Amino acid sequence: MVQKAKILLVDDRPENLLALEAILSALDQTLVRASSGEEALKALLTEDFAVILLDVQMPGMDGFETAAHIKRRERTRDIPIIFLTAINHGPHHTFRGYAAGAVDYISKPFDPWVLRAKVSVFVDLHMKNVQLREQAMLLRRELDGGHAHPDVEHGAGGLLPELSARLAAAEEQAEALSKELAESGGSAAVSTAAHLERKLSGLRRALDALQPGTSEAKSMESRRG
C-alpha cells in the first residue's frame, strides 16, 4: 500500500487551519497542524513532509523566521514552502518571501482550486522522490559488499528489469512534472524538479552499469573472480 504524503499546515488561527484542511482534504494525504513556528519546527524534527504551507503573520516567530530555521537544517532544507499571507506590502514583501526560500507566495483570500493544484504538484514530486529512494536502497542492498545477486547480473526474470521498468515510469512522470512547473511554477519549483531529474539520471547510470556486457559489469565480475 502506498504511504500517504504529509503536508504541514502552519497558522496561529484555528479557523485558517480548518479552512486549509477543508481545501486540501480532497488530495487524500495526511494533514498535520502547527499553530506556531516553534510547533512547526518541532514537528519537522521527526516527520518528513512533502510541502509546508506557512502563514507569514504569526505572533512570536513569524513565517520568515520559521522558514530561515527550516532552510538551515540539513534534514528539512529541501522541503518546498508555500507562504500564505493576508497582507500585501508590494514587491519587496514578496521578494522577502522568495529570498527566505519559498517556492510560492500566495495572498489571502486565495483561490482554493489554485492552492490545491499547487500543493498537488509538490506532493507528486515528493512521492517520486520516495519511490526513487526505495529503488536506490533496493539496488544498494543487492550490491552490498561488492557483489550482486545472480538475478540482478543476468537480468532475465530478475530484479534488474523490474527496477529498470519502475525507473522508466518515474522518469516519464518527472519529465511531465518538469514541463508543468516550467510553465506555471517559480524558479525554486523548477529547481526542485531539476534536482529530482538529476537523482533519476544517477540511478539510471547505476542500473545501466549493471547490464550484462557493459564495461562496468565486466569489471565487477572480474573483481569477484
Side-chain angles (χ1 to χ4, degrees):
M1 185 174 65
V2 178
Q3 186 174 4
K4 293 183 179 182
K6 292 185 176 68
I7 301 170
L8 182 59
L9 313 177
V10 190
D11 199 304
D12 63 297
R13 299 176 67 88
E15 64 269 25
N16 290 343
L17 291 171
L18 188 62
L20 288 173
E21 288 175 337
I23 292 170
L24 300 175
S25 61
L27 297 179
D28 193 29
Q29 305 299 327
T30 301
L31 306 177
V32 178
R33 284 188 175 200
S35 59
S36 67
E38 292 85 354
E39 190 176 333
L41 294 176
K42 184 177 180 180
L44 287 161
L45 287 173
T46 55
E47 302 288 346
D48 292 323
F49 292 93
V51 61
I52 302 168
L53 274 63
L54 180 57
D55 183 40
V56 172
Q57 302 297 123
M58 294 187 295
M61 184 185 295
D62 67 12
F64 296 131
E65 188 179 353
T66 303
H69 282 288
I70 292 171
K71 293 303 178 182
R72 280 198 293 266
R73 292 179 178 176
E74 179 76 24
R75 174 186 172 89
T76 59
R77 64 178 52 168
D78 293 326
I79 301 176
I81 298 174
I82 298 177
F83 273 134
L84 304 175
T85 179
I87 59 175
N88 188 354
H89 289 310
H92 176 73
H93 198 257
T94 303
F95 175 78
R96 188 182 175 192
Y98 287 119
V103 296
D104 215 331
Y105 195 99
I106 302 177
S107 296
K108 304 174 185 177
F110 42 76
D111 186 328
W113 293 95
V114 171
L115 179 63
R116 189 158 52 237
K118 289 177 180 292
V119 171
S120 178
V121 168
F122 290 108
V123 167
D124 286 343
L125 279 172
H126 173 76
M127 300 300 278
K128 299 300 174 296
N129 265 313
V130 170
Q131 292 174 14
L132 178 60
R133 286 197 299 268
E134 290 175 349
Q135 291 166 17
M137 287 175 59
L138 184 58
L139 180 60
R140 282 196 298 269
R141 187 161 61 244
E142 291 296 331
L143 300 178
D144 187 34
H147 62 278
H149 189 281
D151 284 347
V152 174
E153 297 176 42
H154 302 305
L159 181 61
L160 184 56
E162 179 184 350
L163 279 174
S164 185
R166 290 182 184 179
L167 182 56
E171 287 170 332
E172 182 178 348
Q173 292 169 335
E175 183 179 358
L177 279 171
S178 294
K179 290 180 179 178
E180 181 179 347
L181 287 172
E183 295 173 357
S184 60
S187 59
V190 173
S191 177
T192 300
H195 181 63
L196 173 60
E197 288 193 317
R198 286 194 295 273
K199 286 185 176 181
L200 288 169
S201 296
L203 185 54
R204 171 59 67 188
R205 287 193 296 271
L207 284 174
D208 288 345
L210 294 175
Q211 294 284 356
T214 64
S215 58
E216 292 87 348
K218 291 178 179 178
S219 175
M220 185 183 297
E221 180 64 31
S222 65
R223 287 198 299 271
R224 286 196 299 274

